[in-house]
Amino acid sequence: MQYPEWIWHNGTIKPWAEATTHVMAHALHYGSSVFEGIRAYRTPGGTAIFRLADHNRRLYASAKIHEIDIPYDLDTLNEATREVLRRNRLDSAYIRPVAFRGLGGFGLSAETPVDMAIGAWPWGAYLGEGVLETGIDACVSSWQRFAPNTIPAGAKAGGNYLSGQLVAREARRLGFGEGIALASTGLLSEGAGENLFLVFDGVLHTPPVSAALLNGITRHTLITLARDAGLEIVERDLPREYLYLCDELFMCGTAAEITPIRSVDGRAVGDGRVGPVTRQLQGLYFGLFDGSTPDCYGWLDRL
């Protein structure tokens, strides 16, 4: 891994290697962190951060759920993100803001300082080179998502991703590109770190936020773009077997972008190739960055 030169840490830009925390920090032991994943893209008009304010607003929402008091306001975080890109001369990047309980008391409910960092680095296709064009083979994981009223799935918290790690690592161990998790109800939830969309007869179906999933910003983006393009969207509970019966299937997220799924559990999805609705949505999404899709909602935050 080639690390960038600069990072924003607790209010200042500093060399990457100097952004340290103590090994007894609360977050390291108890998972008490919240974070975001944001992408910046190279566009004809220069570098643009995609939905920067929306991502950072969700960071505050996650922090509110877990009573983590971020000691900076939204404008400060937005400008710090831009500065990290400028200082590292990045015109395309993945960006990671994280807020966490640092060194203080040692109990679960201990009051500790809240530390904050924003890093950025170049990152291509999350699930592997070429998968946006050809798709991946996925499996349904043996690990289920947490039940309602146990851990809040609506927060993008570090501890939640222990579940995603189990799903993803099991899939890789079995030779699949990614895993798909069921909710405690046995109905579809999401991928290890991505939301799901199924296509039946040209209609998009996606599990509801009540299915122990994160209400993804990329998910919201695609629902908005699809409706603007005249496509029908249905948010509904979906059983596992619909993964085998749908015409098209893809997962989406900031890191994964729009990744087609060509098979699940060894069963081909549709004809086993990327379908037309998936291709249409990829075109609309990536069109935001090459100028072919108008930025009607002010999603592009330019440096």
Side-chain angles (χ1 to χ4, degrees), residues 43 50 221 225 283-291 293-295 299-300:
T43 78
F50 187 58
T221 299
L225 293 175
L284 291 170
Y285 180 77
F286 289 109
L288 290 163
F289 315 120
D290 66 20
T293 300
D295 180 21
W299 287 336
L300 301 183

Side-chain angles (χ1 to χ4, degrees), residues 91-105:
D91 58 5
S92 179
Y94 182 87
I95 304 159
R96 170 58 53 83
V98 58
F100 57 96
R101 292 194 174 103
L103 180 65

Side-chain angles (χ1 to χ4, degrees), residues 127-128 131 134-138 176-179 251 259-264:
L127 294 175
V131 300
T134 62
I136 62 167
D137 302 306
F176 294 96
E178 187 60 296
M251 50 181 43
T259 301
I261 300 174
R262 61 192 177 201
S263 74
V264 180

Side-chain angles (χ1 to χ4, degrees), residues 58-112:
R58 189 174 64 179
L59 181 73
Y60 285 102
S62 298
K64 182 177 182 179
I65 290 169
H66 285 284
E67 299 182 43
I68 294 173
D69 187 14
I70 296 176
Y72 305 97
D73 63 22
L74 180 63
D75 289 342
T76 298
L77 296 191
N78 290 345
E79 182 53 33
T81 303
R82 299 183 194 104
E83 184 61 19
V84 166
L85 294 179
R86 293 188 198 107
R87 290 291 293 271
N88 286 299
R89 297 182 177 87
L90 293 169
D91 58 5
S92 179
Y94 182 87
I95 304 159
R96 170 58 53 83
V98 58
F100 57 96
R101 292 194 174 103
L103 180 65
F106 298 108
L108 285 170
S109 62
E111 295 298 329
T112 72

Side-chain angles (χ1 to χ4, degrees), residues 257-282:
E257 298 168 306
I258 304 172
T259 301
I261 300 174
R262 61 192 177 201
S263 74
V264 180
D265 295 337
R267 299 167 173 85
V269 174
D271 62 6
R273 294 179 293 181
V274 183
V277 175
T278 304
R279 285 283 186 233
Q280 181 182 2
L281 287 171
Q282 284 182 325

Side-chain angles (χ1 to χ4, degrees), residues 6 10 13 26 29 44 71 78 88 140 161 175 206 220 223 254 258 263 265 267 290:
W6 302 100
N10 287 340
I13 295 283
H26 195 276
H29 297 262
N78 290 345
N88 286 299
V140 176
Y161 284 78
T206 191
H220 175 266
I223 289 173
T254 295
I258 304 172
S263 74
D265 295 337
R267 299 167 173 85
D290 66 20

